[in-house]
């Protein structure tokens, strides 16, 4: 039986027993890298994480396995307060799918490694740049007590990278803009203004990001909620 005392090897052995080749094939259709995947669903990995509990040193060992499920387990069981900037940067160099990125972004936001947002946005690697905007979105949604000024200070990054046509970047830039705009009325106005400006851009990608964000941010349902 796995639990808090289980080491990385024991947890990986347990994950191996949950392998599903059928699920591996399905994951590939959703753009998940499956070279080193066991085909275990996220809810099932989270169930293992609940039994294993947090253990930062063990999370580092799980990450080094290069197995998709072990890496997700590492992200779920790492200790945010112990996660260092250097560790986060090292992990980021291994990012190879949107799924890992979005899970890591939640951890980095919880660890309050905000400095990484600027660094990752400036990095030309697709999944590292995506991480910056997934972190902005995560901060907008999960940090209820965060000062609005913190979030609005990231808006120039959204504008600067709205022309990146790579699928996983443009979707994350759009996601970040919408998340800021949906936070509250104070954030809504500048986010909608930027969305409208991007919608008029001569750049095809920026135009798509802007129009899609305007569609949601100008909706009556959202405005009613924010008021």
């Amino acid at each position: 039986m796995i639990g808090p005392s289980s080491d990385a090897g024991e947890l990986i052995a347990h994950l191996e027993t949950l392998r599903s080749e059928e699920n591996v094939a399905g994951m590939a259709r959703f753009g998940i890298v499956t070279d080193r995947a066991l085909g275990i669903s996220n809810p099932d990995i989270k169930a293992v994480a609940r039994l294993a509990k947090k253990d930062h040193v063990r999370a580092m060992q799980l990450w080094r396995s290069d197995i998709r499920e072990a890496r997700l387990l590492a992200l779920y069981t790492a200790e945010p307060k112990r996660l260092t900037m250097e560790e986060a940067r090292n992990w980021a160099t291994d990012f190879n799918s949107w799924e890992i990125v979005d899970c890591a972004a939640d951890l980095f936001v919880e660890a309050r490694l905000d400095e990484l947002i600027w660094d990752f946005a400036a990095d030309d690697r697709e999944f590292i740049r995506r991480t910056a905007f997934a972190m902005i979105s995560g901060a907008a949604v999960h940090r209820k007590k965060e000062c609005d000024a913190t979030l609005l200070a990231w808006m120039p990054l959204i504008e600067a990278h709205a022309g990146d046509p790579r699928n996983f970047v443009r979707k994350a830039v759009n996601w970040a803009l919408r998340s800021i705009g949906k936070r509250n009325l104070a954030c809504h106005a500048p986010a909608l203004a930027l969305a409208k400006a991007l919608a008029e851009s001569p750049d095809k990608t920026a135009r798509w990001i802007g129009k899609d964000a305007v569609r949601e941010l100008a909706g009556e349902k959202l405005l009613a909620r924010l008021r």
Side-chain angles (χ1 to χ4, degrees):
M1 182 66 182
I2 58 169
S5 61
S6 300
D7 63 25
E10 289 166 335
L11 289 175
I12 290 169
H14 177 71
L15 291 172
E16 292 277 4
T17 69
L18 304 175
R19 176 190 287 271
S20 165
E21 295 303 332
E22 186 181 350
N23 286 353
V24 169
M27 286 171 177
R29 291 195 291 273
F30 287 96
I32 294 171
V33 176
T34 57
D35 301 357
R36 297 276 289 155
L38 303 176
I40 306 170
S41 71
N42 257 292
D44 287 345
I45 299 170
K46 286 180 178 178
V48 174
R50 284 193 293 274
L51 293 171
K53 307 297 183 191
K54 303 277 188 186
D55 184 321
H56 200 66
V57 172
R58 187 184 61 199
M60 295 294 146
Q61 295 164 347
L62 286 167
W63 185 268
R64 287 195 289 272
S65 72
D66 195 27
I67 298 168
R68 168 194 172 262
E69 287 74 5
R71 285 190 162 173
L72 286 170
L73 188 58
L75 295 169
Y76 292 139
T77 58
E79 297 172 57
K81 288 180 180 176
R82 292 185 62 187
L83 185 68
T84 68
M85 206 83 76
E86 185 183 5
E87 288 167 345
R89 287 185 206 280
N90 286 340
W91 279 0
T93 62
D94 293 332
F95 289 168
N96 63 355
S97 83
W98 62 266
E99 176 192 42
I100 291 284
V101 164
D102 296 356
C103 185
D106 284 343
L107 173 64
F108 296 172
V109 166
E110 194 177 348
R112 303 196 74 86
L113 301 179
D114 293 359
E115 187 183 316
L116 292 176
I117 290 173
W118 299 92
D119 294 348
F120 286 171
D123 195 303
D124 198 45
R125 286 170 286 184
E126 183 173 9
F127 290 110
I128 296 184
R129 183 168 289 169
R130 179 186 174 90
T131 309
F133 296 99
M135 286 180 70
I136 292 172
S137 180
V141 173
H142 300 301
R143 287 199 200 153
K144 307 296 185 188
K145 296 179 181 177
E146 188 67 63
C147 173
D148 292 337
T150 301
L151 300 160
L152 295 175
W154 293 322
M155 294 272 283
L157 287 177
I158 292 173
E159 186 172 10
H161 295 289
D164 191 323
R166 292 173 295 181
N167 189 44
F168 294 115
V169 176
R170 72 186 180 97
K171 286 186 174 180
V173 173
N174 171 266
W175 180 25
L177 179 56
R178 290 185 293 107
S179 296
I180 290 175
K182 290 189 289 184
R183 182 179 170 87
N184 56 35
L185 278 175
C187 290
H188 178 267
L192 181 58
L194 176 55
K196 286 179 175 177
L198 292 175
E200 299 298 321
S201 170
D203 182 88
K204 185 172 79 170
T205 303
R207 205 160 55 242
W208 174 83
I209 288 170
K211 285 181 176 178
D212 186 75
V214 167
R215 218 175 358 256
E216 183 168 14
L217 297 180
E220 283 304 318
K221 264 189 183 175
L222 174 65
L223 292 170
R225 178 176 71 77
L226 294 178
R227 289 191 190 110

